[in-house]
Amino acid sequence: MLNDHTDQELLKRASRGDESAFEALYDRRQASIFRFAYHMSGSRDIAEDVTQDTFVTLARNPGAYSAGRGAVTAFLHGIARNMVLRRLERQRELIALEEDSGVESQDEDASPLGGLLRSETVESVRRAVLALPEAYREAVVLCDLEELSYEDAAGAMGCPVGTVRSKLNRGRALLAQRLRSAKGCFA
C-alpha cells in the first residue's frame, strides 16, 4: 500500500517511473500546497495554478530534491513559495479575497447568526493574513496555518531557522494588531 510509504520513498519510486507513487504523493500534499498558495496570494486561481505548476516541476525534475536539505514537504512548499512570489511580483497589487473560497470545511450550525459571525471572523483573519508583508505572511502561513516545523519552514523559505522564528514572531504580532484593529471596527 503506497499510503504506508514516506514522501521520500514515494518520490524515489516516482522518479523511477512509478506513476501511482507520484499520484499518492500528489494526493497527500496537494491540499497543503493549495492552502499555502491561497493564503499567500488570496486568489483561488493563483493557488490552483501554483499547485499544478509545483507538481509539474516536481514530475519534470524529481532529482532536484535532496534529502539532505530537508523534507519533501519543505521542498514542495519552497517551489510553491517561489512561484507565488513571482506571480505576486508580476501583479504588484493586493489581490482581493474571493467571496466563497471553499478552502475550509463548513460546520453545520443551528444558528444562522453563529454561522454569519464565524464566516465574518474567518474573513477577518484571511484579510489580516493577506495584509501582512510577504516575509511575515509566509512564516505565519507555513508555521501557523500549514503547521510546518520551523526546520521545514526554513527549508521552504531558504533561510535559517532563527530567521523563521524572528519573522514568525513579528508576523504574529502584526497579525494580532490587525485583528484587534478589525475587532474595534465591529464593536
Side-chain angles (χ1 to χ4, degrees):
M1 185 89 199
L2 290 175
N3 289 335
D4 298 336
H5 289 72
T6 66
D7 290 350
Q8 284 182 328
E9 292 168 339
L10 290 173
L11 184 55
K12 190 177 288 186
R13 288 178 68 156
S15 69
R16 292 191 301 251
D18 185 343
E19 289 182 26
S20 62
F22 185 84
E23 289 173 12
L25 183 60
Y26 176 83
D27 289 344
R28 184 181 294 172
R29 298 296 173 203
Q30 67 88 21
S32 176
I33 298 302
F34 175 85
R35 283 190 310 269
F36 169 75
Y38 181 74
H39 288 301
M40 286 297 293
S41 68
S43 167
R44 187 173 188 80
D45 291 337
I46 288 175
E48 288 172 351
D49 289 347
V50 165
T51 301
Q52 177 180 338
D53 291 347
T54 296
F55 285 95
V56 166
T57 298
L58 181 65
R60 286 186 179 152
N61 191 9
Y65 168 72
S66 169
R69 294 181 60 200
V72 172
T73 189
F75 179 70
L76 291 171
H77 279 90
I79 294 170
R81 171 189 182 260
N82 291 335
M83 290 181 179
V84 167
L85 293 177
R86 276 195 296 264
R87 291 284 297 263
L88 294 178
E89 182 70 26
R90 276 185 279 179
Q91 292 184 355
R92 265 307 202 213
E93 59 191 39
L94 184 63
I95 301 168
L97 292 171
E98 299 171 8
E99 288 293 320
D100 181 16
S101 69
V103 172
E104 76 285 50
S105 62
Q106 295 289 331
D107 293 334
E108 290 189 27
D109 187 61
S111 162
L113 181 58
L116 178 61
L117 290 174
R118 186 170 32 264
S119 67
E120 285 180 7
T121 301
V122 168
E123 186 65 20
S124 294
V125 171
R126 277 205 188 116
R127 288 183 191 276
V129 168
L130 193 57
L132 291 173
E134 284 177 10
Y136 304 128
R137 183 181 341 140
E138 68 185 348
V140 168
V141 169
L142 287 170
C143 294
D144 289 342
L145 300 180
E146 292 304 314
E147 300 178 348
L148 263 61
S149 68
Y150 294 136
E151 292 78 15
D152 286 346
M157 293 169 63
C159 66
V161 172
T163 303
V164 171
R165 290 178 192 262
S166 175
K167 288 181 178 184
L168 184 58
N169 186 43
R170 181 70 178 133
R172 286 174 175 163
L174 288 171
L175 186 59
Q177 180 182 13
R178 291 181 191 279
L179 291 172
R180 277 193 301 274
S181 295
K183 186 178 178 184
C185 292
F186 297 113

